[in-house]
Amino acid sequence: MDAQKIILPILEKADVRINGDRPWDLQVRDRRLYGRVLRKGSLGLGEAYMDGWWECPALDELFRRLLAARAEAGLGWTLPEIWNRIQYAFFNLQSMRRAFQVAEKHYNLDNRMFERMLGPSMFYSCGYWRDARNLDEAQADKMALICAKLGVQPGMKVLDIGCGWGTLAGYLASRHKAEVTAVSVSAEQIAYAKAHSAGLPVNWVLDDYRNIVGSFDRIVSVGMFEHVGRKNYDTYMAEARRLLRPEGLFLLHTIGGNVDKNGVDPWIAKYIFPNGMLPSITAVGKSIASRFVMEDWHNFGAHYDKTLMAWEKNFSQGRTSRDFTCSSRGLRMFRYYLLSCAGAFRARSIELWQILLSPEGLPGGYDRRIHPDQAAARAFIRDRGGRSDRERQAA
């Protein structure tokens, strides 16, 4: 079987050429690429890129074209894809016992790398670019948007599930005078958050969300639901409902898929986010039913394209200037991850949702005419960046 003859028509459908002169064309360095992709699909394509078997100046646009043309359908079912689907169908890959694996694989990497890639906000989630001119403003505006939607008031008890490096929790405590409990399964993230929030009333907790106790006025979860998994959606929503007071609000910020399916891209699962899975509208809706009233569902997935492109630029510049240590293979892995995901959001094959939920329904309904305090959020991020610069200079 001539693998190249099978793959070329798939590429042609996406207007991608082999060794062409356009930025999104594939430059093949090793002809074994065709057989590897035919056998292993997306996993083979990504591993071949990491091994230097092919190049592409504009990976983001290549993937936009491949995904828009549904090129993966032309390959049929590969063994890695079949095994991936079987695992997600029959096993709970996001059980409590396995909850810390994603932190060990990804989030516990060198914080210097994340600082350089993400910028002073240290937000590893989509920015809100409506009024923003750069990444820092987009992340500050996202934080302001969340706080405005939740209507956080001084003295409220707020739970942040999957708090990352603690920026939102710190802002809620500092600007909104809330009493915050912030939870993560990453020891590195919790240590970083503690070191950058001295004096703020935040209770930092290294634990799984299923172990949290208490009663909260507001719950927020940003970029964590992707690690929960279909078999745990009901448990997650039941836990959120248990922890939220009857008059409270819960904001869920998550990437979502347009197709309802088990599994995730095999390359992403192996190299970036083990056990992860993107929820669908159907899956989220079923887990919400009988537990919450859906007050608002906001999709700004197109904004993730800009966010990922900014992260990739920061990452590549940081590695060039040796702000952190990264092997050549690690560089290729991260560029492939960031730019392929940018292409996926640009093709609108995946989305970003903010879903606002209440236990019993807000009297009179939710009013979308909110006024995010962008100026205060941007000042908080600028000050955080200034502190980080001073800390690096002192070190």
Side-chain angles (χ1 to χ4, degrees):
M1 176 169 46
D2 191 333
Q4 183 174 354
K5 287 185 178 180
I6 295 173
I7 289 174
L8 282 179
I10 297 173
L11 295 178
E12 288 173 2
K13 185 180 178 182
D15 191 24
V16 176
R17 301 170 189 160
I18 298 297
N19 299 329
D21 57 3
R22 299 169 302 177
W24 60 84
D25 286 331
L26 272 167
Q27 309 300 317
V28 177
R29 304 292 184 239
D30 191 318
R31 293 183 59 82
R32 291 178 295 171
L33 169 68
Y34 305 109
R36 194 171 185 177
V37 171
L38 198 61
R39 291 190 308 273
K40 301 178 69 176
S42 66
L43 178 61
L45 183 66
E47 290 181 334
Y49 181 81
M50 291 165 63
D51 291 338
W53 287 16
W54 62 278
E55 302 288 347
C56 178
L59 280 170
D60 51 306
E61 184 58 18
L62 167 67
F63 277 95
R64 184 199 70 80
R65 290 170 176 271
L66 292 175
L67 290 165
R70 303 186 185 278
E72 72 280 4
L75 294 175
W77 288 81
T78 62
L79 285 177
E81 180 69 18
I82 293 170
W83 175 236
N84 182 272
R85 297 292 181 93
I86 290 173
Q87 284 183 299
Y88 278 86
F90 292 99
F91 303 101
N92 185 359
L93 300 182
Q94 301 89 0
S95 65
M96 196 176 299
R97 182 176 60 85
R98 301 170 64 96
F100 288 78
Q101 289 183 357
V102 67
E104 295 163 1
K105 177 77 173 183
H106 193 78
Y107 293 115
N108 286 348
L109 297 175
D110 187 354
N111 277 332
R112 292 175 299 175
M113 181 198 75
F114 284 115
E115 283 183 328
R116 190 63 175 86
M117 183 173 86
L118 305 179
S121 77
M122 288 298 280
F123 267 123
Y124 203 7
S125 56
C126 183
Y128 188 57
W129 290 84
R130 189 186 66 178
D131 303 317
R133 297 165 295 180
N134 54 53
L135 177 63
D136 293 346
E137 289 185 355
Q139 295 293 18
D141 290 358
K142 181 260 300 289
M143 187 165 64
L145 181 68
I146 289 171
C147 293
K149 286 180 176 180
L150 285 172
V152 179
Q153 301 297 320
M156 281 186 172
K157 291 187 176 182
V158 180
L159 173 63
D160 184 350
I161 302 176
C163 65
W165 288 272
T167 307
L168 177 59
Y171 183 71
L172 285 164
S174 173
R175 174 69 182 178
H176 292 274
K177 310 303 180 186
E179 298 178 26
V180 185
T181 297
V183 184
S184 173
V185 294
S186 169
E188 287 293 326
Q189 287 184 333
I190 290 293
Y192 185 96
K194 286 181 177 178
H196 289 75
S197 62
L200 293 177
V202 180
N203 178 28
W204 302 104
V205 180
L206 177 64
D207 208 342
D208 184 82
Y209 68 93
R210 286 161 281 204
N211 292 327
I212 303 304
V213 296
S215 179
F216 299 90
D217 301 292
R218 300 289 187 268
I219 297 178
V220 62
S221 184
V222 179
M224 181 269 180
F225 196 64
E226 299 90 332
H227 304 301
V228 169
R230 179 191 289 270
K231 292 185 180 296
N232 301 302
Y233 291 160
D234 281 345
T235 299
Y236 180 91
M237 290 299 177
E239 289 296 300
R241 180 62 188 87
R242 174 180 64 84
L243 294 164
L244 188 62
R245 291 173 176 166
E247 68 280 8
L249 285 173
F250 170 30
L251 187 140
L252 180 68
H253 174 117
T254 181
I255 299 172
N258 293 325
V259 178
D260 188 35
K261 66 178 183 178
N262 274 320
V264 71
D265 177 80
W267 185 87
I268 291 287
K270 182 175 180 178
Y271 290 98
I272 307 298
F273 298 122
N275 311 324
M277 181 178 175
L278 299 186
S280 67
I281 292 175
T282 301
V284 174
K286 286 181 178 178
S287 66
I288 289 172
S290 77
R291 295 188 176 97
F292 292 103
V293 173
M294 193 278 289
E295 301 286 355
D296 189 57
W297 196 306
H298 183 184
N299 182 358
F300 53 97
H303 295 217
Y304 226 141
D305 179 10
K306 287 185 177 182
T307 304
L308 285 152
M309 295 302 292
W311 286 347
E312 193 282 325
K313 181 179 179 181
N314 288 347
F315 178 87
S316 295
Q317 289 178 345
R319 199 259 186 178
T320 299
S321 59
R322 298 183 179 181
D323 293 334
F324 56 87
T325 301
C326 178
S327 67
S328 296
R329 185 175 172 83
L331 171 66
R332 293 179 73 85
M333 182 185 78
F334 259 86
R335 291 197 72 247
Y336 186 87
Y337 150 54
L338 295 169
L339 293 175
S340 65
C341 288
F345 281 102
R346 195 177 306 163
R348 300 304 303 276
S349 69
I350 50 178
E351 310 296 344
L352 187 285
W353 303 322
Q354 281 190 355
I355 308 168
L356 189 66
L357 306 170
S358 68
E360 299 177 0
L362 295 176
Y366 172 69
D367 188 350
R368 282 194 172 199
R369 294 171 297 177
I370 57 174
H371 301 284
D373 193 349
Q374 295 176 337
R378 291 180 182 185
F380 182 84
I381 296 300
R382 284 196 301 271
D383 182 57
R384 186 182 175 94
R387 290 199 307 273
S388 296
D389 290 340
R390 291 191 295 272
E391 288 162 359
R392 281 193 291 269
Q393 292 169 1

